[in-house]
Amino acid sequence: IQEVKKSEEIYGVKVANLYSGHGTYCTLGLTHTDKRIRRRMIEYWFKPLIRTAAALNAGVGFFAHAFSEAVLEDKYVYAEYMELLYSGLAELNEYAKQVGCGKLGVEQMYSPHQVPWRIDETKSLMKEVKKRSGDDFYFTEDVGHHHVKFVMPPNNEIEKALTAKTS
């Protein structure tokens, strides 16, 4: 923190946001099936990151959650995991406000297992987290994601591809 502040002063720049850099985009993280792992992410990854951002008078952007296929295949289980995601994000947003961190935002993604991946989901997520936490919640727009469009191939195309690979 002190080195960053010194560099800000020397070079006349300001760190506006930290980005988590957490592992890969395929982690279940905040929507992990094991509650202990979700808590660990919050307590030992996000909260220290948020405190660091607060010390720099900066915000935080991140993406650290995904849904497994089993969750995606059952609308009731999916709703439960959306609830976990909303609760976790609201908790982090409340914590950020308590410690004086700038705004939090989640990266908008590009596939069904990485919520939010559609515009309406992004809007809903931002509204729901704000409603629960009492503070604005943002999203990070990665313009590189626009070149990707998820389209589920028909089953016969999947079968043909698998057959071609084994022949």
Side-chain angles (χ1 to χ4, degrees):
I1 293 169
Q2 295 310 315
E3 288 180 35
V4 171
K5 286 182 176 184
K6 183 178 177 182
S7 294
E8 286 178 332
E9 190 175 307
I10 291 170
Y11 298 107
V13 296
K14 171 72 180 107
V15 172
N17 289 293
L18 301 183
Y19 214 82
S20 71
H22 171 75
T24 67
Y25 287 138
C26 63
T27 181
L28 296 179
L30 293 174
T31 52
H32 199 282
T33 56
D34 187 329
K35 180 181 180 175
R36 295 169 301 175
I37 293 173
R38 293 191 307 267
R39 284 297 342 145
R40 185 167 179 77
M41 288 285 298
I42 288 171
E43 297 299 330
Y44 299 105
W45 179 258
F46 281 111
K47 286 185 177 181
L49 178 64
I50 289 168
R51 287 192 301 272
T52 301
L56 294 171
N57 195 27
V60 175
F62 58 90
F63 189 87
H65 60 274
F67 294 161
S68 68
E69 272 190 55
V71 170
L72 292 175
E73 291 173 355
D74 185 319
K75 68 181 181 179
Y76 299 107
V77 174
Y78 182 82
E80 289 175 28
Y81 277 82
M82 283 301 297
E83 176 61 32
L84 289 174
L85 179 60
Y86 289 146
S87 296
L89 293 175
E91 177 183 342
L92 292 172
N93 211 34
E94 288 172 1
Y95 182 75
K97 188 173 184 175
Q98 289 170 7
V99 299
C101 179
K103 300 300 181 187
L104 295 191
V106 70
E107 184 176 3
Q108 174 270 329
M109 298 304 277
Y110 47 84
S111 73
H113 79 287
Q114 298 171 310
V115 172
W117 71 287
R118 294 180 287 204
I119 294 170
D120 287 344
E121 284 175 343
T122 304
K123 289 177 183 178
S124 294
L125 185 135
M126 291 167 48
K127 287 177 186 176
E128 188 64 26
V129 174
K130 179 179 180 173
K131 182 174 90 176
R132 293 174 185 222
S133 67
D135 201 17
D136 289 333
F137 188 75
Y138 295 86
F139 77 99
T140 300
E141 175 65 16
D142 184 333
V143 296
H145 293 178
H146 294 286
H147 75 283
V148 177
K149 181 178 179 183
F150 179 83
V151 178
M152 183 64 145
N155 284 339
N156 63 337
E157 291 297 320
I158 295 171
E159 289 172 19
K160 279 197 285 187
L162 289 171
T163 303
K165 293 286 183 192
T166 59
S167 303

